[in-house]
Amino acid sequence: MNRTTSNTEAELTVVGIDIGKDVFHLVGFDVNGKIAFRRKIRRLALEETFKTLPACIVGMEACLSAHFVARTLRRLGHEPRIIPAKYAKPFMKGQKNDYNDAEAIAEAALRPSLRVVREKTQDELDLQAYHRIRSRLVSRRTATVNQIRAFLIEQGIAIRPGLRALRTSLFDILKNRADEISPRMSDLIVGLYEDWLWLDERIETITAEIEKIAAEQAACTRLMSVPGVGPIISTALVAAIGDGEAFDRGRDFGAWLGLVPRQYSTGGRTVLGRISKQGNTYLRMLFIQAAKVIIMRPQNWEKFSFGTWLKDAAPRLHRNKLATALTNKLARISWSVLRNGRSFDTHGEALAI
């Protein structure tokens, strides 16, 4: 696109982008807060379009390809701001359409107190992709195993819980109950078992690659000094928050993970409910699993610097509440390890969290 920049566009303050699969909608505001232009462009024309615009703030919602767009615009001299969708929604005016979305994003990008999403590097996006693929494969494996169990239940055959129990007894059941299970059903179950084996192999391959990355990255190695944190959690945490610079303190990170009570306060009366469960669901699930593993082994509590707290809290808290409280503590310690750049001293004093 070869054209001269108009006087209005030369005074641009902010541009809002509504990112689509093939088409982007742009709305620009000038220094007086008035709309300078509305434009629809193809995705391939993004770089050429912004080369002709003066350096300005560019807001966009956190969505697919937002990090790629942000890196492209920063390279051109602009200041990209990736905004969570819920923060742009209050600025929506009129009915929902692409231009109104872009206008709302532009207005939200100008808020001085707005918390934006940190741009991810390509390495962090790659690591995030490994975790998303592994999560999907684990979900598919669980669905496959449940389907095998469901087909057996329809034949009146119940198997005790656990993957090992089903794996070791499946073919004995198909052989011993051949008079009850039709050949067609038996073939279907064997086919599902082959899918299960393939999924196991894929999960092991992805997990091995994640463990290799964790061993090579210094940040992941330091994180694995935290009790309950292994290659999976450490790499997922680095992929999600990098070095943790987006948070001022560990408490903020715990709140972002949704590990603090949901608050509804009015008229000076504060009401606290269950945990908010906001933020990264996958990462919160991993930390909760780690906390539950630690709680299952009370003989190891004395090895940890927070063992005394855990021993005092266990008798007075329900198991799930104790797991949530410990999860919050582990998350805050992990953030501190990332920000301070040093390993967690399990036997000494806890890092400032």
Side-chain angles (χ1 to χ4, degrees), residues 19 43 60-75 80 82-83 116-122 124-125 128 132 239-240:
I19 298 177
R43 174 180 284 271
M60 66 201 77
E61 284 188 347
C63 61
L64 291 176
S65 79
H67 296 281
F68 167 78
V69 172
R71 289 200 302 269
T72 301
L73 296 179
R74 189 174 296 281
R75 190 171 63 249
I82 304 176
I83 304 168
V116 298
V117 178
R118 186 186 64 88
E119 294 176 33
K120 293 184 183 295
T121 65
Q122 188 58 51
E124 290 170 351
L125 289 175
Q128 178 179 266
R132 290 183 175 177

Side-chain angles (χ1 to χ4, degrees), residues 110-224:
L110 288 175
R111 300 303 96 191
S113 61
L114 179 70
R115 286 188 174 273
V116 298
V117 178
R118 186 186 64 88
E119 294 176 33
K120 293 184 183 295
T121 65
Q122 188 58 51
D123 289 339
E124 290 170 351
L125 289 175
D126 293 345
L127 193 52
Q128 178 179 266
Y130 274 113
H131 278 275
R132 290 183 175 177
I133 292 172
R134 184 180 182 277
S135 178
R136 177 180 59 84
L137 291 173
V138 170
S139 178
R140 284 185 58 187
R141 179 177 65 181
T142 301
T144 301
V145 171
N146 288 342
Q147 193 167 42
I148 293 174
R149 289 182 177 277
F151 288 154
L152 292 176
I153 284 290
E154 289 178 352
Q155 307 300 318
I157 303 170
I159 303 176
R160 66 181 183 275
L163 295 180
R164 182 180 299 178
L166 179 59
R167 190 190 299 273
T168 57
S169 61
L170 179 60
F171 284 95
D172 289 337
I173 291 173
L174 295 179
K175 180 180 179 180
N176 297 333
R177 302 288 189 94
D179 55 335
E180 303 176 29
I181 303 175
S182 68
R184 289 178 179 175
M185 179 59 69
S186 180
D187 290 343
L188 288 173
I189 292 176
V190 171
L192 288 173
Y193 180 75
E194 292 174 353
D195 292 343
W196 179 5
L197 294 180
W198 180 83
L199 289 168
D200 277 345
E201 183 179 350
R202 288 281 291 132
I203 291 170
E204 289 175 3
T205 301
I206 294 293
T207 302
E209 189 64 28
I210 291 175
E211 291 174 348
K212 179 181 177 182
I213 295 173
E216 295 173 349
Q217 291 197 7
C220 294
T221 303
R222 288 192 294 268
L223 280 171
M224 286 189 286

Side-chain angles (χ1 to χ4, degrees), residues 284-352:
R284 182 174 63 252
M285 178 266 294
L286 292 178
F287 268 111
I288 288 178
Q289 288 180 347
K292 288 185 176 180
V293 169
I294 292 175
I295 291 173
M296 289 170 57
R297 300 167 180 171
Q299 68 275 13
N300 294 332
W301 292 357
E302 294 182 355
K303 300 178 182 179
F304 310 137
S305 58
F306 53 80
T308 303
W309 167 84
L310 191 56
K311 188 180 297 184
D312 294 340
R316 56 186 174 83
L317 292 180
H318 184 273
R319 182 178 56 186
N320 291 338
K321 286 187 177 181
L322 180 63
T324 302
L326 180 57
T327 301
N328 197 351
K329 185 175 288 291
L330 293 177
R332 290 160 58 184
I333 291 173
S334 299
W335 173 87
S336 184
V337 166
L338 282 177
R339 289 303 292 151
N340 292 328
R342 58 190 177 95
S343 300
F344 177 67
D345 186 359
T346 304
H347 303 286
E349 294 296 326
L351 295 173

Side-chain angles (χ1 to χ4, degrees), residues 221-237:
T221 303
R222 288 192 294 268
L223 280 171
M224 286 189 286
S225 65
V226 179
V229 175
I232 299 297
I233 295 181
S234 63
T235 51
L237 184 58

Side-chain angles (χ1 to χ4, degrees), residues 128 131-132 135 233 236-237 240-241 253-259 262 275-290 327:
Q128 178 179 266
H131 278 275
R132 290 183 175 177
S135 178
I233 295 181
L237 184 58
I241 67 171
F253 175 57
W256 177 78
L257 271 185
L259 296 171
R262 184 182 297 275
I275 60 172
S276 63
K277 296 185 179 180
Q278 296 181 353
N280 193 317
T281 303
Y282 175 72
L283 193 56
R284 182 174 63 252
M285 178 266 294
L286 292 178
F287 268 111
I288 288 178
Q289 288 180 347
T327 301

Side-chain angles (χ1 to χ4, degrees), residues 83-100:
I83 304 168
K86 65 179 182 179
Y87 293 158
K89 188 174 181 180
F91 296 93
M92 177 68 69
K93 293 180 293 186
Q95 301 184 42
K96 175 175 171 52
N97 59 57
D98 295 325
Y99 283 119
N100 283 348

